[in-house]
Amino acid sequence: MARFVYLPVCCSIIFFLITLYINSLVQVWADRNSPYWLPALPDIGHNLLPYWTYFSINNYYLLTAFILVIVRYIFQRDIRLIVFRRWFFLQAVMFIMRSISIYVTSLSVPLPGCNTTAVGSPPVEAFYIMFLIHTTCGDVLFSGHTVTLTLCALAWTTYSKGEEHYPIRWLWYRLKGINQEIVPGRPGWLYPKLDSTGDPLSFYITTLLVWIFTIIGYLFIIATRFHYTVDVFLGFLLAKLVWNTYHYYIKTLAERRSIIITRFFLWFEGYGKPPAGTPVSLLTGPSYGRQEQHEQPKHMEEPSNVTHPGDARDV
């Protein structure tokens, strides 16, 4: 049965690749319907930021964010399957939403002098676009780059409990000749507070760095005239909304009617059928009646280490 643990994440990756192709195909169609003869729309972001002609930076920046998430979680065996199956699945959902959005409404091209390189057969050009070999100009509302950057940031800030600092601490211990097990530190700048189910709750240094990196990516997209400011705003807003809605949904699966969609997500998340009222962790799933307390080690305990749902988040 262990091999079936990988089935949901494999389904997510396949779903991701299928919707990525569909989105790329619709990009070609939307680009050919785009009104190239119309001037760019007035945009406050374009007025405030100086025009930077090197628009390829957006693809490199996106690939960097994508690879960083994979590297961050690929070695964390306890939660990597959880993170990747949700991350790929929600990106696929956003690709479907974007395919509809860019097709139904065409806006004028924001990038001055943009010439599409996707001039061949749409089904073939879609593969070139998937691998960032060819580009289109008229698929603007909303920004797919913004969506992926946002989901990368949310993958870091939702699931990370400061484990990214462990390699640095391990190297420091080796240089100092300290033979000591690496354990979570006190909540603060390096480690977040945890809620009652053991999920990260509060703001800490990684959160700050990740969102600074992401916001810089948003500014690059606007400054290169790759998208209008509203494309970036809606991309961020929709990605955050879909992410939060999905995570709220899976934490309340036990309270929902046993319909097909509920049973699918119970299987997809590997939850079985938790009893109503069972606490559900985003990282470890339902406790199935166990009174688990995700506490810090005794030598690091503080009265405020563990907070409960409903408590104000630290920002």
Side-chain angles (χ1 to χ4, degrees):
M1 294 297 291
R3 64 183 181 274
F4 293 111
V5 173
Y6 296 93
L7 186 56
V9 72
C10 290
C11 290
S12 284
I13 293 172
I14 293 171
F15 185 37
F16 167 79
L17 292 174
I18 291 172
T19 55
L20 175 59
Y21 177 80
I22 292 172
N23 177 75
S24 301
L25 180 62
V26 175
Q27 275 187 227
V28 180
W29 292 338
D31 184 72
R32 294 180 182 182
N33 290 330
S34 184
Y36 275 86
W37 60 90
L38 296 179
L41 299 172
D43 190 281
I44 292 177
H46 292 177
N47 293 337
L48 293 177
L49 295 175
Y51 175 38
W52 190 19
T53 58
Y54 188 56
F55 65 88
S56 295
I57 187 64
N58 298 302
N59 291 336
Y60 300 140
Y61 209 83
L62 183 68
L63 285 174
T64 301
F66 202 87
I67 292 171
L68 284 174
V69 172
I70 294 175
V71 172
R72 163 64 183 84
Y73 288 108
I74 194 69
F75 301 108
Q76 193 169 347
R77 299 178 62 182
D78 56 335
I79 65 170
R80 62 186 176 188
L81 295 182
I82 296 173
V83 174
F84 290 144
R85 72 168 175 250
R86 294 174 186 166
W87 186 50
F88 282 114
F89 175 78
L90 293 178
Q91 292 206 64
V93 171
M94 294 304 303
F95 281 142
I96 294 173
M97 295 174 63
R98 184 172 188 268
S99 298
I100 296 171
S101 178
I102 62 176
Y103 187 74
V104 297
T105 300
S106 298
L107 301 180
S108 59
V109 178
L111 181 61
C114 182
N115 292 309
T116 180
T117 55
V119 295
S121 172
V124 175
E125 289 296 340
F127 285 106
Y128 285 111
I129 292 172
M130 283 177 65
F131 295 102
L132 305 177
I133 299 173
H134 288 177
T135 59
T136 53
C137 304
D139 53 306
V140 289
L141 186 67
F142 48 90
S143 168
H145 283 64
T146 299
V147 165
T148 301
L149 282 175
T150 304
L151 293 179
C152 287
L154 291 169
W156 273 88
T157 58
T158 301
Y159 302 119
S160 179
K161 294 192 285 188
E163 299 93 343
E164 64 273 9
H165 304 134
Y166 285 11
I168 300 174
R169 291 177 60 186
W170 179 86
L171 180 60
W172 176 257
Y173 287 169
R174 292 299 176 271
L175 291 175
K176 291 293 185 178
I178 301 173
N179 186 16
Q180 180 179 332
E181 181 184 358
I182 299 175
V183 295
R186 295 177 182 273
W189 276 104
L190 291 180
Y191 298 95
K193 291 182 181 180
L194 309 179
D195 66 14
S196 60
T197 63
D199 293 337
L201 180 67
S202 65
F203 180 97
Y204 74 116
I205 187 64
T206 297
T207 311
L208 176 64
L209 295 176
V210 164
W211 281 111
I212 288 175
F213 177 88
T214 305
I215 291 170
I216 290 173
Y218 297 161
L219 296 177
F220 282 161
I221 293 171
I222 298 171
T224 56
R225 308 302 189 258
F226 205 61
H227 279 280
Y228 293 110
T229 305
V230 69
D231 306 333
V232 175
F233 174 70
L234 289 178
F236 163 76
L237 199 64
L238 291 171
K240 186 73 165 69
L241 178 63
V242 168
W243 182 274
N244 287 355
T245 301
Y246 180 79
H247 286 77
Y248 172 78
Y249 179 80
I250 62 175
K251 291 198 74 160
T252 58
L253 275 174
E255 314 297 331
R256 300 183 181 278
R257 290 183 301 158
S258 183
I259 57 177
I260 293 177
I261 189 69
T262 303
R263 290 197 293 269
F264 169 78
F265 282 110
L266 286 171
W267 167 82
F268 185 72
E269 291 291 336
Y271 283 177
K273 178 60 177 175
T278 301
V280 177
S281 166
L282 293 177
L283 300 179
T284 60
S287 62
Y288 293 98
R290 298 190 307 270
Q291 298 299 317
E292 295 187 12
Q293 293 296 326
H294 298 264
E295 299 176 350
Q296 302 290 343
K298 291 293 183 182
H299 66 285
M300 297 179 178
E301 269 192 1
E302 290 182 349
S304 60
N305 278 6
V306 179
T307 53
H308 299 272
D311 292 349
R313 293 177 65 95
D314 293 349
V315 179

